């Protein structure tokens, strides 16, 4: 079997498992206490962090209420359902509208059990620091497990990040001040990008590329509203 087919089959199986978790949980609302408990999501170690997490995380962007203004109630219901289903990886970004605010109103009581990631699209040290301070305040937490550099699109941007006044300085200082848990060599300085041309550079630097499946927010939303298209 080719690598492409193996990965495709893995994703299909994983989505089926997660769909089963959501469906089972929704059905339980209409059954007795003797109903079968929901399935458990498979887990994997995230990069080189040695942290074991469910294979799916809940992303705070995309076409979902988690990044829409005026949808706090809908967003809170989705986040709460994710917690009930065993999600422990939550991803957001400074640029995701009210997403950080919504997460910050639901997650704090569960913080010690969660892996919380946010992102900055600033490439310089000062700009990244400002966004980190705002993210911590909005998320109502005193640290992030993972702080990612967002939407990297070119080698030139990567060079800027690692320049003397680049965003990497903010991450190093944040780690020293215990505002961010992981940085290289742990392999957990996150990069998000849709450009294959920079993946080889990311790999050589020992960085971690992550992408939570934001579509799961729709799946969770539909489970809260049976019959929704």
């Amino acid at each position: 079997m080719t690598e492409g087919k193996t990965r495709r089959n893995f994703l299909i199986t994983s989505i089926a498992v997660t769909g089963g978790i959501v469906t089972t949980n929704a059905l339980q609302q209409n059954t007795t206490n003797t109903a079968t408990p929901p399935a458990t999501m498979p887990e994997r170690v995230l990069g080189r962090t040695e942290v074991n997490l469910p294979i799916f995380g809940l992303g705070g962007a995309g076409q979902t209420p988690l990044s829409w203004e005026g949808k706090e109630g809908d967003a809170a219901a989705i986040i709460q359902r994710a917690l009930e289903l065993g999600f422990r990886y939550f991803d957001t970004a400074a640029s995701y509208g009210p997403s950080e605010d919504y997460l910050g109103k639901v997650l704090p009581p569960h913080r010690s059990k969660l892996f919380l990631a946010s992102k900055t699209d600033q490439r310089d040290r000062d700009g990244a620091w400002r966004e980190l301070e705002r993210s911590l305040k909005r998320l109502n937490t005193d640290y992030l497990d993972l702080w990612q550099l967002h939407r990297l699109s070119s080698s030139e941007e990567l060079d800027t990040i690692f320049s003397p006044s680049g965003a990497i300085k903010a991450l190093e200082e944040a780690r020293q001040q215990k505002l961010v848990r992981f940085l290289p060599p742990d392999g957990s300085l996150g990069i998000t990008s849709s450009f294959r041309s920079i993946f080889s550079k990311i790999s050589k630097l020992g960085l971690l590329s992550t992408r939570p499946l934001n579509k799961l927010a729709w799946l969770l939303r539909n489970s809260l509203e049976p019959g929704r298209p």
Side-chain angles (χ1 to χ4, degrees):
M1 182 178 292
T2 66
E3 181 179 350
K5 288 183 178 180
T6 300
R7 178 173 175 78
R8 182 164 60 250
N9 290 340
F10 168 77
L11 289 173
I12 291 172
T13 302
S14 299
I15 291 171
V17 169
T18 306
I21 294 172
V22 174
T23 303
T24 303
N25 187 275
L27 289 174
Q28 280 186 308
Q29 296 177 6
N30 300 313
T31 60
T32 66
N33 292 333
T34 60
T36 302
T40 301
M41 268 190 283
E43 296 190 356
R44 296 174 64 182
V45 174
L46 180 63
R48 300 176 188 172
T49 65
E50 298 184 359
V51 177
N52 211 46
L53 293 169
I55 59 173
F56 286 121
L58 185 67
Q63 298 300 310
T64 77
L66 274 72
S67 58
W68 295 348
E69 296 286 352
K71 293 292 183 178
E72 181 178 337
D74 291 343
I78 290 172
I79 297 164
Q80 186 60 46
R81 175 56 60 88
L83 289 167
E84 292 168 358
L85 296 176
F87 283 65
R88 300 202 309 276
Y89 184 104
F90 290 83
D91 171 271
T92 184
S95 60
Y96 286 174
S99 173
E100 290 181 327
D101 283 317
Y102 293 160
L103 290 167
K105 292 178 179 179
V106 180
L107 298 183
H110 313 276
R111 182 66 183 93
S112 63
K113 301 177 182 178
L114 305 180
F115 195 99
L116 184 58
S118 191
K119 302 186 286 292
T120 177
D121 57 13
Q122 300 297 305
R123 306 306 185 219
D124 66 295
R125 181 265 180 200
D126 292 346
W129 252 115
R130 286 192 293 271
E131 289 206 337
L132 174 61
E133 291 172 342
R134 188 181 71 160
S135 292
L136 292 171
K137 182 177 180 179
R138 295 171 77 190
L139 288 164
N140 198 16
T141 185
D142 55 4
Y143 73 97
L144 294 175
D145 295 289
L146 175 62
W147 190 26
Q148 301 177 99
L149 300 173
H150 201 194
R151 299 191 183 115
L152 199 64
S153 61
S154 69
S155 295
E156 288 74 21
E157 282 188 310
L158 197 57
D159 291 339
T160 299
I161 287 167
F162 282 90
S163 70
S165 60
I168 188 63
K169 298 299 181 183
L171 277 101
E172 291 171 348
E173 293 167 13
R175 172 62 184 274
Q176 291 170 0
Q177 297 181 33
K178 298 184 179 180
L179 300 177
V180 177
R181 284 180 66 194
F182 298 113
L183 287 179
D186 304 276
S188 52
L189 166 57
I191 297 287
T192 66
S193 177
S194 299
F195 294 83
R196 293 187 178 183
S197 61
I198 68 168
F199 284 173
S200 61
K201 263 199 169 182
I202 291 174
S203 178
K204 289 176 182 178
L205 290 169
L207 306 183
L208 173 72
S209 178
T210 63
R211 176 167 295 207
L213 190 57
N214 293 325
K215 295 293 185 182
L216 287 181
W218 278 114
L219 187 59
L220 293 171
R221 186 186 186 195
N222 290 345
S223 78
L224 292 168
E225 302 175 33
R228 185 182 181 87

